[in-house]
Amino acid sequence: MKTAEIAQRYLNYFEKNDHTIVPSSSLVTDDPSLLFTVAGMVPFIPYLTGMVPPPYRRAADVQKCIRTNDIEEVGHTARHGTFFQMLGNWSFGDYFKEGAIGYAWELLTSSESDGGLGFEERDLWVTVYEDDDEAAGLWQKIAGLPESRIQRLGREDNYWSTGQPGPAGPCSEIYFDRGPKYGRDGGPAVDDSRFTEIWNLVFMQYSIANVRSKIDFDIVGDLPHRNIDTGMGLERVAFIKQGVDNMYETDQVRPVLDRAVELSGRRYGAEHEDDIRFRVIADHVRSSLMLLSDGVTPSNEGRGYILRRLMRRTVRSMRLLGVDGATFPELFSASRDAMSTSYPVVADDWSRISQYAFAEEETFLRTLASGSTILDVAVSEAKGSGKSALSGPDAFLLHDTYGFPIDLTLEIAEEAGISVDREAFNTLMQEQRSRAKADAKSRKRAIADHSVYRDFRALGETVFTGYSDMETTSRVLGVLVDGISVPSASQGQIAEVILSETALYAESGGQVADKGIIVGPGYELKVLDVQKPVPGLISHTVEVIQGEVGVNQAATSIVDAVNRRSAQQAHSATHLVHAALRDTLGKSATQAGSLNRAGYLRFDFTWNQALSAATKSEIEEISNNAVRDNLAVTTRVLPLDEARKLGAMALFGEKYGESVRMVDIGGPWSRELCGGTHVSSSAEIGLINLVGESSVGASNRRVEALVGLDAFRDLAAERAIVSQLTSSLKTPREQLPTRIAELSASLKAAEKKIAAYEARALADRAPELASRAKTLGAYRVVAESMGNASSADDVRALALQIRDRLTAEPAVIALGADIGGRAVVIVATTPAAREAGAKAGALAKAAAATLGGGGGGRDDVAQGGGTDVAALPAALTAVTTALSMGV
């Protein structure tokens, strides 16, 4: 049974049983405590916690998930995968234990011909929470299971919570017995390799507090409504139904594994370590494909870093299988073909997805080449200094800064005959993980505090009137100070105010929040920010300018009309620039993020090379032609499917409901789903002036533009500069580029001559400085400050000239200079000095420590430096002191 068929049977069954079928949410979650949707219940958290009233009493879905906390286990076990699909059925105050158990058992054990999954009853075991007699009794009553196949486990295994105060409850897990080939008999309590968990039924009925750990908390009462939250692992059911040993060999994953086998020339099943690598490749390619399809792009932080890590682990694994060249065009294509039946977007959006994937692989292959060079130098230096191991900090630097995997470092070091201080490396890695966990905990605490909004959201959604009104009178639903709900806030306090209706736009879709005020009887509030802390609720962060604002008072929200107008101009201009980019570059140039504020727009888009001056000019001209043509700007609210059929662009990173707001500029020329505010016709934008274009990562570019009066002022400022130049240089405007180029060339020639004169002057001092060498113990020493110098190279050349004059003696030359406000010390040693124990690198480090910087180098010549120019005399003294101490 194919994976897609299992999912469809699941949805069909629950739709037949009056469940609303909910589409999968994005892998990118709104929850700031999570990078990704890590479990099937994540999209339903607002309903399960009571934060937001559920739009349905019962639902079912197939949810895409990404979980990377146990990434090191991928490939080693039958069930660990970073991307997985969770089948779930949900009840919000509707059916409870009996219904959940009944539905699960019927679907699992009904014959395939009747639409079920066709499991044999004898192969199924269940676990229940140790005190849950009700669930154990229901399993006997509904399924007829004997007590011997119902095992009771403790909180560690059979009690669910978020890990925070809030909803919780016992759970019951269903296991499939894979047979004696896979382990010991005795049920899941004895062996969870043979007995594989396939479905978890959570009976969410209690409220917990004082959470000290996963198993240590206090149950403080019943929830107002009892909920059902279930999750059945689609990949686990698939590998059982398909008769294979693990999830990597199922129909949606195996094609990538097989392609890796073909590319490597090695055989799957022949060697344990190779098998792990093949499975890692199959898993990570699929995960990367699905993340890219949901708009995540490779970067060095957050979600992008996780994606980059998955892709680079894939490249690394292929390299360890003996493949050094590019493989993503083959591997990602195989995954696309395997996943497109369930997720057509991976084929529909292949041009963009593949562009990112192939560019990331190309970049990392270059990184591996440069990292190998850096590693070769580090290995050479370690061996040259008589060390038998590469230091942990060096290995960590390669990993953390250059993205060079530790196992490749180990491999190359082993080939060179040295080891790696793995203990020190692991310590640094653990410190990094601890910092990351601390950051994650702070994010988790932040989301936990959102429970304060639950009661306000339960009153209904905040009505936004700002599309048509710049002023709206409503009432105050709530006041929060320092995250705590209070009756009122008085003059001088910063507070959050929640209104039943508001004309003020909350930051979203790239458009910043409105500016404005809120007034009421005896009070005035300055609006500092407007946000949506939970879906459907708008909160205003305000400063109380005068009076006291309290719950249930009348409140009039007033928008700063000038700021709103400028923001609308920028947002509509963003749509024009997007359309112009796609007209110029093609349909693969799609938006990857934007920022719109009064008079300014920033627009990121998928593209892998810098735009030429001619292309930027063309984009700017197309955009301004659209302004000139006074195109109508219209908005419609319609079903999402209808909007997509009309060609409306749904932008990555945005979440859309069943009904969406579509914005047309000039009809289908620019048609996007957008909740922002806009001008009524393109002529109101006024002017669009592209002022910048840059790279923001592999295959991502950014354009910046000024809009309206800000664009005019910028062009006026440029005109004033041009006027000043034409006057000062007595040159017509059209000849300015040539004249400035001539002056620049003349200046460079003059600077070159001056540098040559300065270098000659320095060189002429070599005989004098050599003659002033002083005896310090066994050495002849020249330690002098040169004052100002053009470059460190000139000072180095002088030091080497002095050394040549003293080459027959054990001489040490240390010259200091001010190079453009930075202190530099060059140290050179003769062969005789080195034989006596003098090392230029160590002496340069001693000087640099005094200068507040760093330094080092070879034993014969080295350089140190720092920012404290006034300390140069002390730095030269530090050299002679170190020399006298035998450095």
Side-chain angles (χ1 to χ4, degrees):
M1 189 180 294
K2 299 291 188 183
T3 303
E5 182 187 348
I6 296 169
Q8 194 57 54
R9 282 172 177 262
Y10 184 91
L11 296 177
N12 290 345
Y13 173 81
F14 281 102
E15 186 174 32
K16 183 178 67 176
N17 284 284
D18 302 322
H19 288 64
T20 299
I21 303 304
V22 180
S24 174
S25 293
S26 170
L27 289 168
V28 178
T29 174
D30 288 327
D31 188 335
S33 69
L34 299 170
L35 286 176
F36 298 115
T37 301
V38 295
M41 55 84 65
V42 169
F44 296 94
I45 287 176
Y47 310 144
L48 294 170
T49 60
M51 186 82 69
V52 177
Y56 24 67
R57 298 281 287 175
R58 50 175 70 182
D61 70 332
V62 180
Q63 176 60 48
K64 300 177 291 185
C65 302
I66 286 280
R67 193 178 296 168
T68 58
N69 57 329
D70 52 3
I71 192 171
E72 300 299 335
E73 295 300 317
V74 171
H76 291 268
T77 72
R79 60 186 184 274
H80 280 98
T82 51
F83 173 84
F84 58 97
Q85 300 159 87
M86 191 61 71
L87 306 166
N89 59 286
W90 314 84
S91 167
F92 307 104
D94 192 5
Y95 62 83
F96 198 50
K97 291 183 184 180
E98 185 169 2
I101 291 172
Y103 287 138
W105 189 253
E106 182 179 32
L107 176 60
L108 285 173
T109 60
S110 292
S111 68
E112 293 183 14
S113 60
D114 288 334
L117 295 177
F119 281 90
E120 295 290 343
E121 295 183 12
R122 65 174 181 272
D123 294 329
L124 300 177
W125 290 59
V126 299
T127 61
V128 298
Y129 181 54
E130 56 191 358
D131 295 335
D132 195 351
D133 296 333
E134 181 186 5
L138 286 169
W139 278 114
Q140 290 178 298
K141 171 187 169 184
I142 294 169
L145 284 176
E147 284 191 34
S148 60
R149 297 225 309 273
I150 303 171
Q151 296 188 320
R152 295 174 182 257
L153 301 175
R155 283 186 176 182
E156 180 73 29
D157 298 291
N158 277 79
Y159 209 95
W160 177 90
S161 77
T162 63
Q164 298 289 321
C171 62
S172 179
E173 296 177 330
I174 306 172
Y175 287 79
F176 175 77
D177 180 1
R178 302 174 72 196
K181 173 184 174 183
Y182 295 95
R184 295 176 296 162
D185 199 358
V190 173
D191 190 331
D192 66 354
S193 294
R194 170 174 170 172
F195 297 88
T196 299
E197 178 203 337
I198 56 174
W199 205 339
N200 186 13
L201 315 178
V202 176
F203 310 130
M204 200 180 298
Q205 62 189 111
Y206 299 119
S207 180
I208 63 172
N210 305 319
V211 179
R212 296 168 289 276
S213 71
K214 179 181 178 181
I215 61 173
D216 188 10
F217 50 80
D218 297 332
I219 299 173
V220 293
D222 294 329
L223 293 174
H225 300 289
R226 301 186 302 179
N227 301 322
I228 287 294
D229 156 13
T230 83
M232 179 160 68
L234 180 54
E235 281 75 14
R236 295 190 184 188
V237 176
F239 82 69
I240 291 169
K241 294 300 294 180
Q242 292 172 22
V244 295
D245 283 344
N246 53 64
M247 61 165 288
Y248 313 103
E249 297 174 15
T250 59
D251 62 300
Q252 288 189 343
V253 188
R254 182 66 188 247
V256 181
L257 189 153
D258 289 339
R259 195 71 193 99
V261 167
E262 292 172 14
L263 291 169
S264 68
R266 302 191 186 186
R267 186 167 65 84
Y268 182 60
E271 206 276 322
H272 177 68
E273 290 300 320
D274 282 355
D275 287 354
I276 292 173
R277 290 162 187 152
F278 283 128
R279 292 193 286 262
V280 165
I281 292 162
D283 171 83
H284 287 9
V285 166
R286 185 172 74 143
S287 298
S288 300
L289 175 77
M290 299 309 297
L291 285 170
L292 286 163
S293 75
D294 271 353
V296 182
T297 55
S299 70
N300 287 328
E301 59 184 22
R303 299 180 179 97
Y305 174 75
I306 299 297
L307 172 59
R308 172 162 284 167
R309 186 182 179 204
L310 290 169
M311 297 171 83
R312 293 188 168 190
R313 278 171 60 91
T314 302
V315 175
R316 176 202 67 190
S317 295
M318 287 302 298
R319 188 183 189 280
L320 293 174
L321 288 167
V323 183
D324 294 330
T327 61
F328 279 11
E330 300 283 345
L331 298 176
F332 272 78
S333 296
S335 190
R336 173 201 62 199
D337 295 343
M339 296 300 295
S340 58
T341 300
S342 296
Y343 303 98
V345 66
V346 299
D348 297 342
D349 201 24
W350 176 246
S351 176
R352 184 191 64 83
I353 292 170
S354 59
Q355 186 178 39
Y356 276 113
F358 301 168
E360 180 64 19
E361 181 181 36
E362 183 180 329
T363 298
F364 188 48
L365 288 173
R366 288 198 298 268
T367 296
L368 288 178
S370 59
S372 295
T373 302
I374 295 166
L375 178 56
D376 289 343
V377 172
V379 168
S380 178
E381 289 182 352
K383 293 178 72 174
S385 60
K387 297 177 181 176
S388 61
L390 186 70
S391 75
D394 281 346
F396 183 76
L397 177 70
L398 281 162
H399 162 82
D400 196 49
T401 303
Y402 298 100
F404 202 78
I406 183 60
D407 48 4
L408 288 185
T409 299
L410 292 167
E411 178 190 358
I412 293 172
E414 184 180 357
E415 290 173 355
I418 67 172
S419 60
V420 175
D421 187 345
R422 190 64 188 269
E423 184 176 348
F425 173 84
N426 289 341
T427 299
L428 293 167
M429 283 296 294
Q430 186 56 48
E431 290 173 359
Q432 186 184 67
R433 291 191 186 105
S434 297
R435 289 191 295 270
K437 284 182 179 178
D439 180 57
K441 283 184 178 178
S442 69
R443 290 198 304 270
K444 199 165 191 177
R445 284 193 294 271
I447 192 63
D449 293 339
H450 280 191
S451 60
V452 73
Y453 299 106
R454 181 185 300 132
D455 293 339
F456 304 126
R457 180 61 181 81
L459 298 174
E461 294 192 18
T462 308
V463 177
F464 174 62
T465 64
Y467 290 131
S468 57
D469 301 329
M470 302 292 279
E471 182 175 319
T472 292
T473 299
S474 61
R475 68 185 181 94
V476 178
L477 297 180
V479 179
L480 287 80
V481 175
D482 295 329
I484 299 172
S485 182
V486 295
S488 62
S490 55
Q491 185 171 338
Q493 285 188 295
I494 303 296
E496 284 185 74
V497 172
I498 296 167
L499 308 178
S500 57
E501 299 177 55
T502 181
L504 292 154
Y505 183 79
E507 179 180 357
S508 61
Q511 182 175 331
V512 300
D514 273 337
K515 294 181 179 179
I517 59 173
I518 299 173
V519 296
Y523 70 83
E524 179 180 340
L525 315 176
K526 178 182 179 182
V527 177
L528 305 177
D529 195 13
V530 190
Q531 295 290 333
K532 296 178 180 177
V534 297
L537 189 74
I538 295 176
S539 174
H540 311 76
T541 301
V542 301
E543 179 184 357
V544 184
I545 301 301
Q546 67 178 49
E548 183 177 67
V549 58
V551 176
N552 287 323
Q553 286 185 317
T556 301
S557 53
I558 304 172
V559 178
D560 181 330
V562 174
N563 180 77
R564 164 73 79 80
R565 189 178 303 114
S566 294
Q568 289 180 166
Q569 288 175 312
H571 201 156
S572 296
T574 299
H575 286 223
L576 297 186
V577 170
H578 190 187
L581 275 163
R582 289 167 66 80
D583 262 9
T584 306
L585 303 177
K587 302 306 180 186
S588 61
T590 55
Q591 181 172 337
S594 67
L595 172 68
N596 313 288
R597 63 170 184 258
Y600 169 86
L601 72 86
R602 188 183 75 203
F603 184 88
D604 295 351
F605 61 101
T606 55
W607 200 247
N608 58 5
Q609 58 185 341
L611 303 184
S612 67
T615 300
K616 287 185 285 187
S617 179
E618 183 179 0
I619 292 166
E620 189 175 56
E621 183 174 352
I622 292 172
S623 302
N624 281 294
N625 283 343
V627 173
R628 177 204 62 195
D629 293 341
N630 196 23
L631 303 175
V633 179
T634 60
T635 61
R636 284 182 282 169
V637 176
L638 66 170
L640 177 59
D641 288 343
E642 184 178 338
R644 284 177 168 155
K645 288 176 183 176
L646 290 170
M649 293 196 63
L651 304 180
F652 290 114
E654 292 296 308
K655 305 294 187 298
Y656 301 104
E658 292 182 6
S659 294
V660 293
R661 185 170 181 264
M662 186 173 75
V663 178
D664 286 359
I665 304 180
W669 183 69
S670 170
R671 178 168 286 166
E672 299 187 17
L673 303 183
C674 180
T677 62
H678 289 274
V679 298
S680 57
S681 68
S682 63
E684 294 179 27
I685 294 171
L687 181 66
I688 300 172
N689 176 19
L690 291 186
V691 295
E693 191 270 340
S694 59
S695 169
V696 286
S699 298
N700 258 17
R701 305 295 299 178
R702 170 175 292 170
V703 292
E704 297 175 89
L706 298 174
V707 182
L709 275 176
D710 290 80
F712 171 77
R713 293 186 186 110
D714 185 69
L715 291 172
E718 287 188 1
R719 182 177 62 189
I721 293 170
V722 171
S723 178
Q724 291 173 3
L725 287 171
T726 57
S727 176
S728 299
L729 299 178
K730 296 180 173 53
T731 303
R733 183 177 66 178
E734 61 273 11
Q735 295 178 17
L736 276 177
T738 302
R739 179 61 177 148
I740 291 172
E742 291 171 350
L743 290 173
S744 179
S746 297
L747 180 60
K748 286 180 181 178
E751 289 174 344
K752 191 174 182 179
K753 286 183 180 180
I754 292 170
Y757 289 140
E758 290 178 344
R760 175 64 62 85
L762 272 178
D764 288 346
R765 296 185 62 183
E768 174 205 353
L769 291 169
S771 68
R772 286 161 51 182
K774 298 177 181 178
T775 300
L776 181 63
Y779 303 101
R780 297 282 287 162
V781 179
V782 176
E784 299 276 353
S785 177
M786 300 293 97
N788 294 321
S790 297
S791 70
D793 288 341
D794 292 342
V795 180
R796 180 186 294 265
L798 177 58
L800 295 179
Q801 290 177 28
I802 298 171
R803 185 180 70 177
D804 289 344
R805 290 176 176 273
L806 301 172
T807 189
E809 304 179 64
V812 176
I813 297 89
L815 302 182
D818 179 347
I819 312 292
R822 181 173 176 81
V824 171
V825 173
I826 303 294
V827 180
T829 59
T830 62
R834 293 194 291 277
E835 289 178 9
K839 297 180 179 178
L843 296 171
K845 281 185 178 179
T850 305
L851 298 171
R858 303 192 308 269
D859 290 347
D860 61 333
V861 62
Q863 177 177 323
T867 55
D868 190 357
V869 175
L872 272 171
L876 294 170
T877 299
V879 172
T880 57
T881 300
L883 191 62
S884 66
M885 295 175 65
V887 175

